[in-house]
Amino acid sequence: MEYITYKNRIAAVMDGEEVGEVTFPERNGVHVINHTYVDDRLRGQGIASELVRRAVAEIEKRGGRVEATCSYAALWLARNRGCEITSPLSCPIN
């Protein structure tokens, strides 16, 4: 599995085919993880978790704040970073 980082997106690529992605557009210093996707054939293999982990690391490297509106990413941040989920499905961390 190869992971390719773009400006506001990280793609998971296998055998030259994009099989997953996480998107995190930025506005006023806050990067919002708003979409996580993994091809149905590959779910349950930790790819989504790895995509979110890489997105959070990339955002922190850039010095921005992280927030998630994607339900998967919000739960990941709650479990792995101790943030508190607020309604509607938002999980901000600094």
Side-chain angles (χ1 to χ4, degrees), residues 14-61:
M14 185 171 72
D15 299 327
E17 178 187 358
E18 191 169 300
V19 295
E21 73 172 353
V22 62
T23 58
F24 46 96
E26 184 267 337
R27 182 182 297 163
N28 299 324
V30 178
H31 288 81
V32 179
I33 301 174
N34 64 0
H35 175 72
T36 305
Y37 166 78
V38 174
D39 188 290
D40 289 341
R41 299 170 294 160
L42 299 170
R43 291 194 179 161
Q45 297 183 26
I47 297 168
S49 181
E50 181 62 15
L51 284 165
V52 173
R53 185 195 70 73
R54 287 173 180 261
V56 170
E58 181 65 25
I59 293 164
E60 289 179 333
K61 183 172 76 173

Side-chain angles (χ1 to χ4, degrees), residues 5-21:
T5 301
Y6 299 96
K7 181 179 179 186
N8 294 311
R9 182 173 88 90
I10 298 175
V13 179
M14 185 171 72
D15 299 327
E17 178 187 358
E18 191 169 300
V19 295
E21 73 172 353

